[in-house]
Amino acid sequence: MVGAPRDPGAHPDEYDATPYVPEGGGLKALRDGAAGCRGCPLYREATQTVFGDGKASARVVLVGEQPGDQEDRQGRPFVGPAGGVLTRALDEAGIDPARTYVTNAVKHFKFQQAARGKRRIHKAPSLREISACKPWLVAELQVVDPEVVVALGATAGKALLGSSFRVGEQRGIALPMPSLDGNGGGHGMLVATIHPSAVLRADDAERAAAYAGLVSDLEVAARLLK
Ligand code: URA
Ligand code: SF4
């Protein structure tokens, strides 16, 4: 049945989004299904699922790590400071941000409450959480079937290329898109780069170079679209 969830609770002890992923439907069915995902504990503290955003016809899919504070509140990926850097870098690389599909390896915000004050501090998702959430990413990629996937940072790289991925070694190179579901069908190419928030975190002296590196890796992706 299109859009019907599989039996949630089939493997209650495992972290795995699979039982929540509807079979068959398009992006709307996936988004609706993901809103109720309890495939790992991250849904408990977060405000909402932040699913991917963009058209199924997009030729480029950008994969980030996980929603940040702003994304968690607004329910959309890359609407905070990292999104600002990403939009500017895409523009500069010749990729129209409005024609991309943007998502994250992990769909719920993982954070730690600051010792004082209300600030929520981002925490990196574990390999277990990345792999639990991967069925959503695989399903999005199957629907959008882009020509180029851009992995933004180590978490996205690990989700797409495996835990041995190292951004410093594999960035800026056009790689064949691996098969994600074991059934073949890894269409298109993959380019990895740094996460846009690494530009924001860089020292003043290094920020311009970090940004230029992001743009030049995105230019590799842009050339694949020509
Ligand atoms: N960082 C990410 O990886 N994704 C977002 O959506 C926002 C910040
Ligand atoms: Fe489901 Fe992913 Fe959220 Fe975990 S992080 S509950 S697997 S959507």
Side-chain angles (χ1 to χ4, degrees), residues 6-62:
R6 293 164 210 167
D7 175 23
H11 303 284
D13 301 330
E14 287 172 30
Y15 287 8
D16 185 8
T18 305
Y20 300 90
V21 180
E23 278 176 284
L27 290 176
K28 165 101 172 54
L30 290 176
R31 171 187 300 280
D32 291 349
C37 184
R38 297 184 163 206
C40 83
L42 294 184
Y43 75 89
R44 290 190 196 138
E45 306 290 332
T47 308
Q48 58 191 317
T49 306
V50 178
F51 202 67
D53 194 19
K55 293 203 180 100
S57 59
R59 296 171 69 195
V60 187
V61 171
L62 301 151

Side-chain angles (χ1 to χ4, degrees), residues 50 64-68 71 76-80 82-83 103-104 152 195 197:
V50 178
E65 181 187 62
Q66 61 164 339
E71 290 78 14
R76 293 181 64 200
F78 283 106
V79 291
T103 191
N104 285 299
L152 300 165
H195 194 286
S197 64

Side-chain angles (χ1 to χ4, degrees), residues 63-66 103-107 129-130 133-134 137 155-156 159:
V63 184
E65 181 187 62
Q66 61 164 339
T103 191
N104 285 299
V106 170
K107 273 44 175 184
E129 289 152 351
I130 296 168
C133 210
K134 187 169 160 178
L137 181 59
T155 297

